[in-house]
C-alpha cells in the first residue's frame, strides 16, 4: 500500500512537471537585431520571467553598449511588459488572454557590432509560483508545503485536461466542417467536369456534322 502511494505521488509529480511550462535559455543577441521567444499560455494562468545580460568581464561594470529593450506581448498585440535600455529586468502577470505570448529583445545598433549574451528564465502555471515565499508566509512545514504543491499540480492537470478536451472538440468540429466542404467541392468539380465533357462532345458532333464526316 505504501509503495502504491509513493508511486502515485511520483506519477502526479511528473505529470505536474509536464503540465507546467518553464523555459530557461541563454542566447546571443547582436546589436541592431531582435530575438523573440514565444510561450503558449492559457488564460488566467500566472507567468513570471526574468532576464539579464551576462557580463563578459567578471568584476567589472557592464559596457555602456550592453543594453537592451524588452517587450512582452500577447497574440492579440496587447503589451504586458516593456523596458528600454536596461541591463536586466523581470515581469509577472496573470494572462488575461489565451494563446502564444511573445517576449522580444532588441539591442541598439553599434559600430562596431557587439554581441550580447542574455540569460532568460520564463515560467508559467504551477512552476511560476514562489513556493519559498508561500512556506515563509504560511509558516507551514515541509510536508504541508509538498501537499499544497501536489494539490495545485492536480488542479493544473485538471484544467489542462479540460483545455485539451475543448481543443479536441474544436478540432473535431473543424474536421467535420472541412469534410463537408470537401464533399461539396468534389461534387461541384464532378458536375463541372461532366458539363465540360458534354460541351466538348456536342462541339465535336456539331463540327463533324458540318464537315459531313458523320
Amino acid at each position: 500500500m505504501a509503495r502504491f502511494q509513493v508511486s502515485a505521488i511520483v506519477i502526479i509529480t511528473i505529470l505536474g512537471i509536464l503540465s507546467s511550462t518553464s523555459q530557461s535559455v541563454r542566447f546571443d543577441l547582436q546589436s541592431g537585431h531582435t530575438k523573440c521567444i514565444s510561450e503558449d499560455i492559457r488564460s488566467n494562468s500566472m507567468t513570471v520571467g526574468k532576464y539579464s545580460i551576462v557580463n563578459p568581464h567578471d568584476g567589472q561594470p557592464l559596457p555602456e553598449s550592453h543594453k537592451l529593450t524588452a517587450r512582452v506581448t500577447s497574440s492579440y498585440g496587447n503589451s504586458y511588459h516593456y523596458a528600454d535600455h536596461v541591463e536586466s529586468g523581470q515581469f509577472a502577470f496573470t494572462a488575461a488572454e489565451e494563446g502564444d505570448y511573445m517576449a522580444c529583445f532588441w539591442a541598439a545598433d553599434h559600430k562596431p557590432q557587439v554581441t550580447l549574451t542574455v540569460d532568460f528564465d520564463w515560467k508559467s502555471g504551477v512552476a511560476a509560483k514562489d513556493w519559498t515565499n508561500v512556506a515563509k508566509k504560511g509558516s507551514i512545514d515541509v510536508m504541508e508545503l509538498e501537499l499544497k504543491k501536489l494539490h495545485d499540480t492536480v488542479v493544473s492537470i485538471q484544467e489542462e485536461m479540460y483545455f485539451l478536451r475543448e481543443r479536441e472538440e474544436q478540432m473535431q468540429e473543424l474536421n467535420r466542417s472541412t469534410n463537408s466542404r470537401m464533399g461539396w467541392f468534389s461534387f461541384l468539380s464532378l458536375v463541372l467536369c461532366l458539363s465540360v465533357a458534354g460541351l466538348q462532345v456536342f462541339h465535336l458532333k456539331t463540327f463533324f456534322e458540318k464537315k459531313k464526316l458523320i
Side-chain angles (χ1 to χ4, degrees), residues 19 24 36 49 55 72 85 106-107 130 144 157 171 182 186 189 208 213:
S19 66
S24 182
C36 292
N55 195 335
V72 180
H85 202 65
W106 177 78
D130 190 349
E144 289 174 328
I157 294 173
M171 291 300 298
M182 287 301 298
S186 299
S189 298
F208 289 147
L213 297 175

Side-chain angles (χ1 to χ4, degrees), residues 83-123:
D84 185 31
H85 202 65
V86 296
E87 299 175 358
S88 62
Q90 58 185 7
F91 57 86
F93 58 87
T94 299
E97 304 159 324
E98 180 180 304
D100 287 332
Y101 284 70
M102 193 80 69
C104 291
F105 303 90
W106 177 78
D109 196 12
H110 285 278
K111 300 297 182 183
Q113 191 177 63
V114 297
T115 299
L116 285 64
T117 301
V118 182
D119 273 337
F120 182 42
D121 186 23
W122 196 356
K123 300 177 181 179

